[in-house]
């Protein structure tokens, strides 16, 4: 297994190109199941999760090609995918696939909407809590799905062969359940209203793509989505929006190490709460024509009290990275995780580097220390592993991050992007 070796203590200076958003690219690729025409997606990041989903979709009959050669000459513009689901040849998404990536569960809604039936394994994904799918199923039932659980699979049928519009009121905000129901509603008969929909920008990106494909959707960007389903949808060309989590991760890294970096292609409007938090810690953030600039001089990191919330609140996907930044703050920070109950696996690894963190239920209290010291650490999930990279960039001496396949799921060319800005970081291949 590959490892990442970091020698800490170097400021970041330069330009980091921001990739297309993984969490938008995945549901956008899944949207290709809704039409027999070609869906072209631009700015798709080259990530393990994206490649795995392409394989899963191929199983269902989606023809997938990548324009030009794999390594784009302008890598920050990502890749162009052509996806065509002329026929859905298999309505089953098997355990071996879905257990490796939770988002692949989202094929349920679109396949059910197009074919009138679907059989999808219950999901796996990052081990950051129980992560049930009850909201997905309740939502699809409101659109006329009849659902059984059989041998670890969700077996769904549309009453009378086709989903019909319905009213879905989510008791809790769920990104995945909103995607699943939104995608299904685009091909359901009549109007669907989703209340308490997730407002994450990636939902808006998918909704905008569905509009290009011919769906009528009102309320994009709000918590009430009103979708008029269509008998069929058309092909479209859509550009994946920039990754706000990658943006925030690098922004926090610059704040942690000091320095001055332009996050090229990043959009401040996608992560205002996170950038406001960063400014509170003493970093200077400016929106420029071609991206966001983050600077921190030698003045140290101020502590912060914050809790994670659904968008537009502080994202749970940046909680671990913020904690790495707070590890060397001048004072005590408090971070409360309200989205996932078990998303603190980075705490004991950060402690191996000398961080002083106490956990009480959903709340972490971080007493800033003067120095972290390099050590071998273990990546446990996608966002946790990148927090260890940030801590490693700050720590004195050498840090080795093991199990970096977690990082490869969601961060494109991480070592390259950081080393170009002066970080001493390299991948050590297993074999
Ligand atoms: C998505 C993101 C993930 C992010 C998360 C929250 C993708 C590919 N993944 O994950 O990076 O951390 O949103 O912003 O976009 N829940 C239920 N029942 C359900 C579904 C969810 O109780 O049926 C709960 C979850 O356990 C969790 C909360 O709702 O506590 C939010 O989960 P959700 O928004 O669904 O996360 P994902 O879509 O899995």
């Amino acid at each position: 297994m590959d490892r990442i070796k970091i020698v800490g203590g170097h400021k970041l200076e330069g330009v980091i190109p921001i990739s297309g958003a993984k969490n938008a690219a995945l549901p956008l690729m899944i949207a290709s199941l809704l039409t027999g025409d070609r869906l072209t997606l631009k700015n798709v990041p080259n990530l393990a999760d994206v490649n795995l989903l392409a394989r899963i979709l191929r199983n269902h009959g989606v023809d997938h090609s990548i324009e030009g050669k794999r390594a784009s000459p302008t890598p920050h513009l990502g890749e162009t995918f052509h996806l065509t689901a002329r026929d859905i040849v298999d309505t089953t998404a098997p355990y071996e696939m879905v257990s490796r990536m939770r988002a692949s569960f989202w094929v349920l809604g679109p396949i059910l909407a197009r074919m009138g039936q679907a059989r999808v394994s219950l999901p796996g994904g990052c081990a950051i809590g129980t992560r049930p799918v009850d909201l997905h199923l309740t939502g699809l039932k409101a659109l006329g799905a009849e659902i059984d659980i059989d041998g670890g699979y969700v077996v769904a049928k549309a009453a009378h062969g086709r989903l019909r519009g319905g009213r879905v009121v989510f008791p809790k905000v769920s990104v995945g359940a909103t995607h699943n129901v939104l995608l299904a509603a685009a091909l359901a008969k009549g109007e669907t209203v989703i209340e308490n929909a997730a407002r994450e920008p990636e939902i808006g990106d998918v909704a905008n793509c569905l509009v290009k494909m011919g769906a009528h959707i009102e309320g994009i960007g709000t918590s009430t989505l009103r979708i008029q389903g269509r008998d069929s949808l058309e092909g479209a060309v859509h550009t994946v929006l920039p990754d706000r989590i990658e943006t925030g991760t690098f922004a926090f890294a610059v704040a942690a190490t000091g320095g001055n970096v332009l996050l090229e292609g990043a959009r401040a409007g996608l992560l205002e709460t996170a950038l406001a938090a960063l400014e509170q810690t003493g970093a200077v953030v400016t929106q420029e024509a071609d991206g966001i600039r983050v600077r921190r001089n030698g003045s140290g990191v101020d502590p912060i009290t914050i809790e994670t919330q659904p968008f537009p609140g502080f994202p749970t996907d940046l909680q671990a990275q913020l904690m790495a930044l707070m590890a060397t703050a001048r004072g005590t920070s408090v971070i409360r995780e309200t989205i996932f109950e078990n998303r603190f696996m980075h705490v004991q690894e950060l402690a191996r580097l000398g961080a002083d963190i106490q956990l009480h239920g959903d709340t972490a209290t971080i007493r800033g220390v003067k120095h972290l010291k390099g050590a071998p650490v273990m990546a446990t999930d996608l966002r946790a592993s990148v927090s260890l990279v940030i801590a490693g960039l700050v720590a004195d001496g050498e840090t080795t991050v093991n199990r970096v396949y977690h990082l490869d799921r969601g961060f494109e060319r991480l070592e390259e992007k950081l080393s170009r800005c002066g970080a001493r970081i390299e991948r050590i291949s297993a074999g």
Side-chain angles (χ1 to χ4, degrees), residues 22-24 26-27 49 101-106 124 126 128-138 170 172-179 198 200 202 244-245 309-311 315-318 337-341 343 382-383 409:
K22 169 181 89 79
N23 286 357
L26 299 177
D49 271 10
M101 186 186 26
R102 187 178 163 84
S104 58
F105 184 74
W106 306 347
C126 278
I128 52 171
T130 334
R131 301 187 91 173
V133 291
D134 55 317
L135 301 172
H136 299 241
L137 303 187
T138 315
F170 285 124
K172 179 174 183 176
V173 177
S174 162
V175 172
T178 304
H179 277 308
E200 270 63 6
E202 294 75 22
R244 65 195 164 96
I245 303 303
Q309 286 293 338
F311 191 86
T316 175
D317 283 351
L318 285 174
E337 171 58 58
T338 74
I339 310 287
F340 293 110
E341 73 272 23
R343 201 170 210 181
L382 171 55
R383 310 304 178 186
R409 289 189 39 218

Side-chain angles (χ1 to χ4, degrees), residues 80-280:
T80 297
F81 278 18
H82 300 296
L83 300 149
T84 313
R86 210 166 305 286
D87 298 300
I88 307 282
V89 296
D90 193 343
T91 54
T92 295
Y95 174 72
E96 305 74 64
M97 297 282 194
V98 185
S99 59
R100 291 173 60 189
M101 186 186 26
R102 187 178 163 84
S104 58
F105 184 74
W106 306 347
V107 302
L108 176 65
I111 293 181
L112 178 62
R114 180 145 165 213
M115 304 301 288
Q117 58 174 36
R119 187 169 165 272
V120 177
S121 170
L122 288 163
C126 278
I128 52 171
T130 334
R131 301 187 91 173
V133 291
D134 55 317
L135 301 172
H136 299 241
L137 303 187
T138 315
L140 292 172
K141 280 181 191 164
L143 270 58
E146 293 163 355
I147 292 178
D148 285 316
I149 306 291
D150 184 20
Y153 279 75
V154 174
V155 182
K157 280 200 172 65
H160 314 296
R162 182 170 176 202
L163 294 180
R164 48 172 168 68
R167 183 161 173 265
V168 178
V169 185
F170 285 124
K172 179 174 183 176
V173 177
S174 162
V175 172
T178 304
H179 277 308
N180 223 333
V181 175
L182 169 65
L183 290 163
L187 273 188
K189 189 173 171 56
E191 180 179 275
T192 295
V193 179
I194 308 178
E195 288 183 27
N196 202 20
R199 282 184 284 162
E200 270 63 6
E202 294 75 22
I203 307 262
D205 208 31
V206 171
N208 285 325
C209 179
L210 291 172
V211 168
K212 289 181 194 166
M213 292 167 73
H216 296 282
I217 305 176
E218 285 170 31
I220 296 174
T222 75
S223 54
T224 302
L225 293 170
R226 194 175 285 274
I227 306 122
Q228 311 292 336
R230 300 286 305 271
D231 292 341
S232 65
L233 293 170
E234 298 143 24
V237 178
H238 186 79
T239 302
V240 179
L241 89 178
D243 196 316
R244 65 195 164 96
I245 303 303
E246 191 198 26
T247 304
T249 299
F250 286 127
F252 288 8
V254 177
T257 61
N260 182 338
V261 170
L262 176 69
L263 303 170
E264 190 182 24
R267 266 191 243 154
L270 299 176
L271 70 163
E272 278 172 359
T273 312
L275 294 178
L278 196 59
E279 286 182 318
Q280 242 179 292

Side-chain angles (χ1 to χ4, degrees), residues 349-371:
E349 298 302 307
L350 289 171
R352 290 177 54 75
L353 300 172
D356 178 354
I357 306 171
Q358 301 296 320
L359 267 186
H360 293 287
D362 61 3
T363 302
T365 304
I366 306 114
R367 286 189 189 81
V369 293
K370 281 220 161 60
H371 297 284

